[in-house]
């Protein structure tokens, strides 16, 4: 009980000093809790959607042989005949069976050619309106589609794009364009996650989306009263045989949930990874806080030992303070996490995904995990300072506050740090020399961990060297005040090292990702300049195929010399040795050899466009012992099996089309029926001599009715690539900002506690003539040099990681290393401002101290 009272008294007495550490715990726990609440809420939203949209039993086509690795891009979904619906109706236990149509290979535009699709990657879905849809939706205005000129739109899409009854929309499919007027608007009974839905009557959907009557994409089956879903599935499968895939509502929901879970798990674990980084940074803050508090209370602890307190009691007292800190920070963090989850839901809403707070899901495991993590991390971080407190002897009551550093432990620490750093450096060097990306990735991970630990351990030793160098460059110009700031930063190298290490971690990751991102852009740009001969690249940003009518419109554009088709085919390829595997084959026009210049291992690329000819990649040829003149057996998905002669072997050194096999469009058409032929994934175009600008303008004009396609020259393509990587990096930087904020709090806390520790010294300095302005400047300069110390270590370490990572990318064809010096320099300079910001409150409080009271402080 005495330990409890003492701990509680000390905690409340130093609550101001504990506040910033509590904020660090709060932020880290909030990020973990917010991530869990957000992903659980998304699961709840989709679970409700799957529950109301899944029929008792559903029947869908089975995947064709050769598909799965590279699904066909015919622009039409797989279908089943109307006869299958009649068969299902005859099965025992069937109350009703309804043929349904759903296609995502569509683009819908309004009267002004504005794309009505959803944002944020959600699909645009077109189909027929069925009774099964009434489970999830209700018509809120107008009526269901009754003929070829009617379309029913979901309410969310209508609201986002201002659609009303009678408005005209145009639907673009591979079978052609057709227009319809909005006849009705349907509202979801549950949350619509963001897809744009358009419903037509069944004959129109069959004709326009599937290309012919009498076809459906799936069958919704309703069970008769008293018939279980499993029994109904067995009966339906009995009349259909193995031709189709039959699933119960639970199986269909589980399949959808599994596909969603893969996406959610990537997002969840990525965000939890950043929360872990924030926790790691928070550890330094907590260790520093308790180390300084223990040092400041040395005399107090010595007195407690003198009157009978044991080492264990002192140890437990400090750990109990940490426990209180962890509980307070974690509880507030869990509450803040719910708010963060709501903020993430609003952010996703602005990107096109609708998530309702009505579905907000806070499982009991979320606060339990948040509380456990916060408390465990805090108590573990305080363990070393607690042990140090327990070692304080009763004689310390006769000394001034503070304990001298252990020289032996300092040298031991330096030796361990150098060993870890050296081992990590060797692992990074081995990464750069790896021949396989898989082996190199493991070495990179080991190198990153070891060098990070090494720099953390060796931080105090580095502080003595680096701070002196930085002080010479930055602080000495400020005269005596600058020299005092330098000495303050060097007074306790262990503290300076720990404070700088907290900032180092976040900035190391920033530097590493900056190097990787810049190298990716530079490599891709170099590859484009070296390999791409086409003037223009035409494709969508969503992976949709190019519809034939858009291609025909482009072929009429003036100033265009040629347009090259590019179709991706799925096939099972059997090598001469008999080994078969699913492969992706590119069917292109012969002009592709001009539009993309490939380095060759053997033969000429143009030879791959001869009759029944094919090219293979160098790695494939080496792995299977394939030579020019050998024959490959190629079973095309949806088509026949062909015997194709290897006419060329391409190099896999570049990053574009690495490992792709080429055949001509004529060869593909010889073995794949027209209705099974995939549409073009992209088109390449070249302008006539001296007519580049005219050709680009003509191509854009020809696609005015098709806003889903972009006509980009190489400059545009490079810019889009740079923007995409930049957006991804900005998201990562935003997540890393949490760790950097916690590190800044660590600098603030260290300075604040340092000011309290030096109260008497500050009073004496003021008494002998140091002005308030000079005092505040001294503390600000101390903060700046600590921040620059952390930034220098972090940026140097991060660039080392980034250069090692780039060597792995080089194995995938991204061979250009580029250091983004402007970004690195900007981050370094920004760190100085971070130091200035962190010192504002401590410097202000130091400047307000009463001189006499400060001198009288023990």
């Amino acid at each position: 009980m005495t330990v409890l009272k003492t701990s509680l008294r000390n905690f409340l007495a130093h609550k101001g000093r504990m506040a910033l550490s509590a904020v660090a715990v709060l932020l880290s726990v909030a990020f973990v809790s917010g991530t869990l609440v957000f992903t659980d809420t998304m699961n709840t939203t989709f679970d409700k959607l799957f529950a109301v949209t899944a029929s008792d039993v559903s029947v869908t086509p089975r995947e064709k042989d050769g598909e799965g690795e590279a699904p066909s891009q015919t622009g039409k979904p797989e279908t089943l005949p109307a006869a299958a619906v009649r068969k299902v109706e005859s099965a025992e236990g069937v109350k009703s069976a309804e043929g349904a149509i759903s296609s995502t290979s569509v683009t819908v535009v309004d009267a002004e050619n504005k794309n009505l699709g959803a944002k944020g990657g959600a699909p645009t879905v077109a189909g027929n309106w069925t009774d099964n849809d009434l489970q999830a939706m209700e018509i809120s205005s107008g009526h269901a589609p009754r003929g070829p000129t009617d379309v029913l739109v979901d309410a969310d899409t209508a609201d986002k794009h201002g659609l009303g009854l009678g408005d005209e929309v145009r639907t673009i499919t591979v079978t052609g364009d057709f227009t319809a007027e909005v006849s009705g608007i349907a509202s979801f009974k549950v949350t619509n996650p963001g897809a744009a839905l358009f419903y037509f009557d069944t004959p129109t959907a069959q004709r326009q989306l599937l290309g012919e009557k009498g076809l459906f994409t799936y069958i919704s089956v309703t069970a008769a009263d008293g018939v279980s879903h499993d029994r109904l599935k067995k009966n339906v499968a009995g009349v259909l045989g193995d031709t189709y895939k039959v699933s119960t509502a639970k199986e269909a929901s589980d399949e959808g949930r599994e596909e969603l879970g893969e996406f959610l798990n990537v997002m969840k674990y990525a965000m939890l990874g950043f929360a872990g980084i924030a926790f790691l940074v928070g550890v330094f803050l907590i260790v520093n806080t308790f180390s300084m508090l223990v040092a400041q209370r040395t005399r107090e602890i010595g007195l407690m030992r003198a009157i009978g307190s044991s080492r264990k009691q002192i140890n437990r007292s400090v750990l109990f303070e940490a426990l209180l800190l962890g509980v307070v920070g974690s509880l507030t963090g869990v509450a803040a996490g719910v708010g963060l989850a709501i903020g993430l839901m609003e952010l996703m809403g602005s990107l096109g995904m609708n998530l309702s707070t009505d579905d907000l899901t806070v499982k009991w495991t979320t606060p339990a995990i948040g509380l456990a993590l916060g408390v465990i991390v805090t108590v573990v971080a305080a363990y070393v300072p607690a042990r140090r407190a327990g070692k304080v002897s009763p004689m310390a009551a006769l000394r001034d506050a503070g304990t001298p550093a252990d020289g032996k432990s300092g040298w031991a620490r330096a030796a361990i740090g150098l060993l870890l750093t050296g081992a990590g450096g060797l692992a990074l060097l081995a990464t750069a020399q790896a021949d396989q990306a898989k082996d190199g990735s493991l070495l990179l991970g080991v190198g990153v961990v070891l060098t990070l630990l090494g720099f953390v351990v060796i931080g105090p030793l580095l502080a003595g060297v680096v701070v002196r160098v930085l002080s010479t460059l930055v602080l000495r110009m400020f005269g005596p005040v600058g020299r005092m700031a330098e000495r303050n930063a060097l007074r306790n190298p262990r503290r300076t090292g720990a404070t700088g290490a907290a900032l180092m971690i976040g900035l190391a990751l920033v530097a590493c990702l900056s190097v990787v991102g810049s190298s990716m852009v530079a490599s891709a740009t170099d590859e484009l300049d070296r390999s791409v001969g086409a003037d223009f690249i035409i494709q969508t940003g969503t992976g949709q195929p190019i519809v034939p009518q858009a291609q025909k419109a482009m072929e009429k554009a003036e100033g265009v010399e040629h347009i090259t088709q590019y179709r991706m085919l799925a096939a099972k390829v059997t090598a001469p040795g008999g080994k078969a595997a699913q492969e992706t084959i590119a069917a292109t026009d012969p002009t592709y050899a001009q539009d993309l210049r490939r380095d060759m291992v053997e033969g000429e690329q143009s030879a791959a466009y001869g009759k029944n000819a094919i090219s293979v990649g160098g790695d494939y040829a080496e792995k299977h012992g394939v030579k020019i003149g050998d024959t490959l057996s190629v079973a095309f998905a949806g088509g026949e099996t062909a015997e194709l002669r290897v006419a060329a072997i391409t190099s896999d050194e570049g990053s574009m089309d690495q490992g792709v096999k080429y055949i001509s469009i004529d060869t593909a058409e010889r073995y794949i029926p027209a209705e099974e032929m995939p549409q073009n994934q992209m088109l390449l175009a070249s302008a006539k001599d001296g007519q580049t600008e005219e050709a680009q303008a003509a191509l854009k004009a020809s696609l005015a009715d098709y806003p889903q396609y972009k006509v980009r020259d190489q400059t545009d393509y490079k810019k889009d690539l740079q923007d995409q990587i930049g957006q991804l990096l900005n998201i990562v930087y935003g997540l890393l900002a949490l760790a950097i904020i916690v590190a800044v709090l660590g600098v603030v806390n260290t300075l604040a506690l340092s000011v309290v520790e030096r109260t008497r010294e500050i009073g004496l300095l003021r008494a002998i003539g140091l002005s308030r302005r000079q005092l505040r400047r001294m503390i600000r300069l101390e903060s700046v040099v600590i921040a620059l110390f952390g930034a220098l270590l972090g940026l140097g370490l991060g660039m080392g990681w980034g250069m090692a990572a780039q060597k792995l990318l080089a194995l995938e064809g991204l061979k250009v290393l580029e250091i983004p010096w402007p970004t690195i320099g900007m981050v370094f300079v920004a760190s100085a401002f971070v130091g200035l910001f962190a010192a504002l409150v401590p410097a202000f409080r130091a400047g307000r101290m009463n001189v006499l009271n400060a001198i009288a402080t023990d």
Side-chain angles (χ1 to χ4, degrees), residues 404-437:
D406 186 347
K408 292 183 180 179
S409 65
W411 282 111
R413 181 185 181 121
I416 294 172
L418 288 171
L419 181 63
L420 288 171
T421 304
L426 289 175
L428 293 178
L429 185 62
T431 300
Q433 298 174 347
D435 296 325
Q436 298 291 330

Side-chain angles (χ1 to χ4, degrees), residues 169-334:
V169 300
R170 180 166 58 94
T171 305
I172 304 168
T173 74
V174 294
T175 62
D177 302 357
F178 65 100
T179 59
E181 292 184 354
V182 177
S183 65
I185 296 175
S187 301
F188 267 87
K189 297 177 183 178
V190 294
T191 301
N192 170 21
L197 306 176
F198 299 87
Y199 295 97
F200 305 92
D201 70 321
T202 298
T204 302
Q206 289 176 324
R207 183 176 62 257
Q208 301 291 357
L209 303 180
L210 306 181
E212 60 181 291
K213 295 180 180 180
L215 297 177
F216 297 99
T217 59
Y218 65 98
I219 304 172
S220 299
V221 188
T222 303
D225 294 340
V227 179
S228 69
H229 292 180
D230 289 334
R231 182 63 184 172
L232 181 62
K233 172 186 175 181
K234 185 176 180 180
N235 294 343
V236 170
V239 300
L240 290 177
D242 296 332
T243 310
Y244 305 107
K245 179 180 178 182
V246 183
S247 308
T248 63
K250 183 180 183 304
E251 289 171 341
S253 297
D254 289 345
E255 185 176 342
R257 195 177 296 112
E258 183 179 352
E259 293 176 359
L260 174 69
E262 293 177 1
F263 163 73
L264 287 182
N265 283 339
V266 170
M267 182 172 64
K268 179 171 75 173
Y269 291 127
M271 294 178 69
L272 290 178
F274 287 103
I277 295 169
F279 266 120
L280 179 61
V281 173
V283 166
F284 291 99
L285 196 164
I286 295 165
V287 169
N288 256 6
T289 298
F290 280 94
S291 295
M292 296 178 75
L293 288 176
V294 167
Q296 290 170 19
R297 286 155 43 192
T298 300
R299 291 185 64 185
E300 175 188 332
I301 295 171
L303 285 170
M304 292 176 64
R305 292 295 314 282
I307 63 176
S309 295
S310 67
R311 286 189 174 187
K312 288 185 178 179
Q313 287 177 313
I314 298 298
N315 191 310
R316 287 200 299 267
S317 175
V318 176
L319 289 178
F320 193 79
E321 289 181 52
L323 178 64
L324 290 174
L325 175 66
V327 170
V328 172
S330 299
L331 288 176
T332 52
V334 169

Side-chain angles (χ1 to χ4, degrees), residues 288-557:
N288 256 6
T289 298
F290 280 94
S291 295
M292 296 178 75
L293 288 176
V294 167
Q296 290 170 19
R297 286 155 43 192
T298 300
R299 291 185 64 185
E300 175 188 332
I301 295 171
L303 285 170
M304 292 176 64
R305 292 295 314 282
I307 63 176
S309 295
S310 67
R311 286 189 174 187
K312 288 185 178 179
Q313 287 177 313
I314 298 298
N315 191 310
R316 287 200 299 267
S317 175
V318 176
L319 289 178
F320 193 79
E321 289 181 52
L323 178 64
L324 290 174
L325 175 66
V327 170
V328 172
S330 299
L331 288 176
T332 52
V334 169
V338 176
L340 176 62
I342 295 174
L344 287 172
M345 290 165 64
E346 293 294 328
L347 176 62
M348 295 300 288
S350 66
L351 297 176
M353 176 174 282
N354 302 323
L355 294 172
S356 172
T357 52
D358 293 339
D359 295 327
L360 189 68
T361 305
V362 184
K363 297 181 179 179
W364 71 267
T365 52
T366 297
I369 291 172
L371 186 63
L373 281 174
V375 170
I376 291 172
V377 167
T378 307
V379 172
V380 169
Y383 179 73
V384 172
R387 279 180 55 85
R388 197 175 299 148
K391 292 180 180 179
V392 174
S393 69
M395 294 300 295
L398 303 178
R399 296 199 300 263
D400 289 336
T403 54
D406 186 347
K408 292 183 180 179
S409 65
W411 282 111
R413 181 185 181 121
I416 294 172
L418 288 171
L419 181 63
L420 288 171
T421 304
L426 289 175
L428 293 178
L429 185 62
T431 300
Q433 298 174 347
D435 296 325
Q436 298 291 330
K438 183 179 179 181
D439 298 334
S441 298
L442 180 61
L443 289 169
L444 177 63
V446 171
V448 167
V449 172
L450 290 180
T451 50
L452 177 61
L453 290 175
F455 267 53
V456 169
V457 174
I458 207 174
L461 179 64
L462 293 175
V465 178
V466 176
V467 169
R468 282 187 173 88
V469 174
L470 288 172
S471 298
T472 302
L473 300 174
V474 179
L475 303 186
R476 296 292 174 85
M477 67 181 70
F478 293 96
V481 173
R483 287 193 293 274
M484 285 191 291
E486 175 187 352
R487 290 169 186 168
N488 287 335
L490 293 171
R491 178 179 299 184
N492 193 326
R494 181 177 292 178
R495 180 190 305 164
T496 299
T499 306
L503 193 59
M504 174 190 75
I505 295 171
L507 295 184
L509 291 170
V510 168
C512 174
L513 293 170
S514 296
V515 171
V516 170
S518 296
S519 297
M520 289 176 67
V521 171
S523 298
T525 299
D526 178 72
E527 185 75 10
L528 281 168
D529 291 337
R530 188 175 62 85
S531 302
V532 177
D535 293 316
F536 312 110
I537 302 169
I538 302 98
Q539 60 186 164
T540 67
T542 58
Q544 284 189 338
I546 296 176
V547 295
Q549 58 270 33
Q551 180 179 339
K552 290 179 181 178
M554 283 184 280
E555 290 171 350
K556 298 176 183 178

Side-chain angles (χ1 to χ4, degrees), residues 14-27 282 285-286 289 325 741-742 744-753 838 841-842:
H14 303 109
K15 56 183 178 292
R17 306 178 195 179
M18 294 285 192
L20 292 176
S21 295
V23 171
V25 177
L26 182 155
L27 289 174
L285 196 164
I286 295 165
T289 298
L325 175 66
I741 289 171
V742 174
V744 172
L745 292 177
V747 178
V748 174
N749 212 23
T750 298
L751 289 174
L753 291 172
V841 174

